[in-house]
Amino acid sequence: MLKISKHVYWDGIRDWDLRLFHGHELSTHRGSTYNSFIIKDEKTVLVDTVWFPHTNSYIDRIEHDVGIDNIDFIIINHNEPDHGGALKAIMEKRPELPIYCSANGEKIIKAHFHKDWNFNVVKTGDTINIGRNNLKFIEMKMIHWPDSMMVYLDNDKVLLSNDAFGQHYCAMSMFNDEVDRDELFQEAIKYYANILTPFSPLIARKIDEVLKLNLDIEIIAPSHGVIWRENPLQIIEAYASWSDNYKEDFAVIVYDTMYEATLRMAEAIEKGLRSKGVKVKLYNSSVSDMSDLLTEIFKAKALAIGSCTVNNNALTSIVALTHEIAAHKMKGKPFVSFGSYGWSGEAPAHISETLVKAGLTPVHEPIKTSYTPTEEALEECVRAGVALAEAAGE
Ligand code: FEO
């Protein structure tokens, strides 16, 4: 059990070995943590649990550190199984224990466990006194689930923010001032890009709403990764920036290829971009990690995506990537699509159609070239790179 403030203790699980999350959807190169908290005030409160594969060791620890019989109530900020997974094991020992959650939380917990436990629904502004602290609840609907909420302790000045402000990052320390800052922010922005980007408009509004509450915050403790205790507002400021048409000063070119003709086109687009002073990152999607690619695309100010045509469409990795860009609502970025073909050549048009439908902006007609690109075809790619640079503001 790790003390994080006068009355709050971290009692979660460090998962050094996690490499994939959300099934096999999200890569987690630096593992993760499932942050469960104990508040020891006049009342003893458990906030969130851990992912169910860790139930046995977690229950043993809670039993040892606080005693499940000594818990007065549980707060479930969000019942995705990585936080609510061990709830059933606790409730089997204490079936009468009050559970505080949002209205959607009650529905989701019932849908997971099919039990009619002692639910106490709370909404934004509700407070409970537990001794020295008042607990103030703040709903975070769709950030990132319908049930999500946060809880603030006014005496300790701690915000238990659940998934918001988290990172899939298992480190030697649980505090932001004791870990590598570059690693921490790489994991924080990857988490935002892959999990929270679809909800950016909601996040921008919610940050305004939270700031207007004028909470005096000394610690932000999310449910994954390290706890922000040195300048905790920096992660709120980062979220404000990431949720507001965020871009960094580089372009990304992603391609897939069978015999390198599409790679030659990608290199020509790169030449056009660089001729206008744009920095470029170039990735082959078939050998790249999808979650890392999405993070790079989230950060990029311009995008070029290419594939040769196979069976009237793009190669699998590019079909999947364009689907993910659309699903993550990475709107507003200028792009070009391109690719080599043998006899039909639909891939660049399909890529463009998917991205336009998703709200990205084409700056050039889809470029296709038959088999090995000619000098003229490569010159067209260079011109498309220049157009992309100009659209990106160079
Ligand atoms: Fe970390 Fe939405 O669960």
Side-chain angles (χ1 to χ4, degrees), residues 350-367:
H350 282 321
I351 293 166
S352 184
E353 195 181 322
T354 303
L355 297 184
V356 167
K357 214 181 280 180
L360 287 84
T361 308
V363 302
H364 194 284
E365 287 297 307
I367 309 169

Side-chain angles (χ1 to χ4, degrees), residues 21-22 78 80-83 144-145 148 162-163 168 191 195 223-224:
F21 190 71
H22 281 162
H78 168 42
E80 193 165 351
D82 52 326
H83 308 297
H144 69 127
W145 269 28
S148 299
N162 197 259
D163 279 334
H168 287 304
Y191 185 99
I195 297 175
S223 56
H224 295 292

Side-chain angles (χ1 to χ4, degrees), residues 73-116:
F73 61 88
I74 300 182
I75 296 170
I76 295 290
N77 279 325
H78 168 42
N79 199 64
E80 193 165 351
D82 52 326
H83 308 297
L87 179 62
K88 187 174 172 208
I90 298 215
M91 298 309 288
E92 278 169 356
K93 291 177 184 283
R94 292 280 310 279
E96 84 297 350
L97 200 60
I99 299 171
Y100 285 78
C101 58
S102 63
N104 283 323
E106 178 178 350
K107 284 185 204 157
I108 290 171
I109 293 170
K110 282 179 174 169
H112 273 300
F113 299 111
H114 309 290
K115 298 282 186 188
D116 197 13

Side-chain angles (χ1 to χ4, degrees), residues 103-208:
N104 283 323
E106 178 178 350
K107 284 185 204 157
I108 290 171
I109 293 170
K110 282 179 174 169
H112 273 300
F113 299 111
H114 309 290
K115 298 282 186 188
D116 197 13
W117 289 320
N118 180 4
F119 292 104
N120 297 263
V121 168
V122 290
K123 58 184 185 315
T124 297
D126 286 352
T127 57
I128 302 174
N129 180 268
I130 57 167
R132 297 296 304 279
N133 279 284
N134 292 301
L135 304 181
K136 184 191 277 277
F137 297 94
I138 304 159
E139 290 169 277
M140 299 289 283
K141 193 172 178 182
M142 294 318 299
I143 305 172
H144 69 127
W145 269 28
D147 63 334
S148 299
M149 65 177 196
M150 310 193 287
V151 62
Y152 172 71
L153 288 80
D154 63 354
N155 185 279
D156 284 34
K157 301 176 182 171
V158 172
L159 182 66
L160 301 175
S161 62
N162 197 259
D163 279 334
F165 314 126
Q167 333 90 44
H168 287 304
Y169 181 35
C170 187
M172 287 185 291
S173 169
M174 285 300 301
F175 296 107
N176 70 314
D177 51 299
E178 293 178 346
V179 300
D180 182 294
R181 182 180 163 80
D182 291 342
E183 281 187 4
L184 170 58
F185 269 88
Q186 173 57 29
E187 294 306 333
I189 198 168
K190 179 177 178 179
Y191 185 99
Y192 186 96
N194 282 274
I195 297 175
L196 295 171
T197 308
F199 312 107
S200 279
L202 279 176
I203 289 167
R205 288 201 293 277
K206 182 54 77 173
I207 285 172
D208 276 349

